[in-house]
Amino acid sequence: MDVQVVALLVSPVHAFEGRPQDGPLVDPLLGSCDRVEVRAGLGLVGDRFYAQPAHRKASVTVIAAESLDLITAELSLAAVPNPVLTRRNVVLRGFPVDGLPAGRSRAGALFSLDSGDGPVRFQAHRPASPCGWMDQVLAPGAHKALRGRGGVRCEPLDDGFLRVGPAVLTVL
């Protein structure tokens, strides 16, 4: 299936600590990048969850850009929020990623993403549920609006690269 990689995020710091009403920590490198390196079983090189044992099965998060389109309409926002503010690593347009996890008891779908440097396989494991921070960084009401469409936490199974632009997603 043809998709579009809208944004990629690798962030070395965890900006959402403490209470949402106090605001996020400053992330000096917050912004999308054009290309990321993926390492099997470890995550995205340079990301805060890279090689963290507690996050091996959740080191890469993927969200559908359409989720932001929907909350823009639901919350009557003037513009679609910057997808990087969701702190998801990969923002895709053209595929319903929230349908990939199978549930708590077993792994979800196995899929590959090829953005021009060869396919990289991922194992979907569980939903990337939104948190209260979404109300602060996206818009009031975004936390509730993103429930059920906050993306999916995945484990990378191959080394490779992802880049912004056209891509092919294959459910294996």
Side-chain angles (χ1 to χ4, degrees):
M1 166 176 287
D2 291 335
V3 297
Q4 185 80 16
V5 178
V6 175
L8 295 166
L9 174 70
V10 172
S11 177
V13 299
H14 188 77
F16 298 157
E17 294 180 357
R19 299 178 305 199
Q21 61 269 26
D22 295 336
L25 300 174
V26 175
D27 182 348
L29 300 176
L30 183 61
S32 60
C33 38
D34 294 331
R35 184 175 184 246
V36 296
E37 182 177 358
V38 182
R39 297 292 307 275
L42 300 173
L44 303 182
V45 175
D47 192 66
R48 64 200 176 281
F49 295 124
Y50 180 77
Q52 297 295 319
H55 294 282
R56 292 274 166 90
K57 292 190 175 197
S59 61
V60 177
T61 52
V62 182
I63 190 171
E66 290 84 356
S67 293
L68 296 173
D69 297 341
L70 290 169
I71 71 160
T72 299
E74 286 177 19
L75 300 175
S76 300
L77 303 177
V80 177
N82 180 343
V84 173
L85 295 175
T86 64
R87 308 283 291 185
R88 302 307 192 245
N89 300 115
V90 181
V91 182
L92 292 179
R93 181 169 296 285
F95 186 80
V97 300
D98 292 300
L100 290 170
R104 295 183 184 269
S105 62
R106 63 187 209 285
L110 181 67
F111 67 98
S112 70
L113 191 56
D114 185 346
S115 58
D117 292 308
V120 178
R121 291 175 308 138
F122 294 91
Q123 177 73 62
H125 284 289
R126 66 180 192 269
S129 299
C131 66
W133 283 99
M134 296 301 108
D135 287 347
Q136 299 296 318
V137 298
L138 296 178
H143 175 219
K144 183 177 180 183
L146 279 172
R147 287 184 186 148
R149 50 185 160 195
V152 61
R153 297 187 181 281
C154 302
E155 174 184 11
L157 302 177
D158 298 313
D159 292 346
F161 293 91
L162 296 177
R163 60 179 74 234
V164 171
V168 174
L169 186 145
T170 305
V171 177
L172 304 170

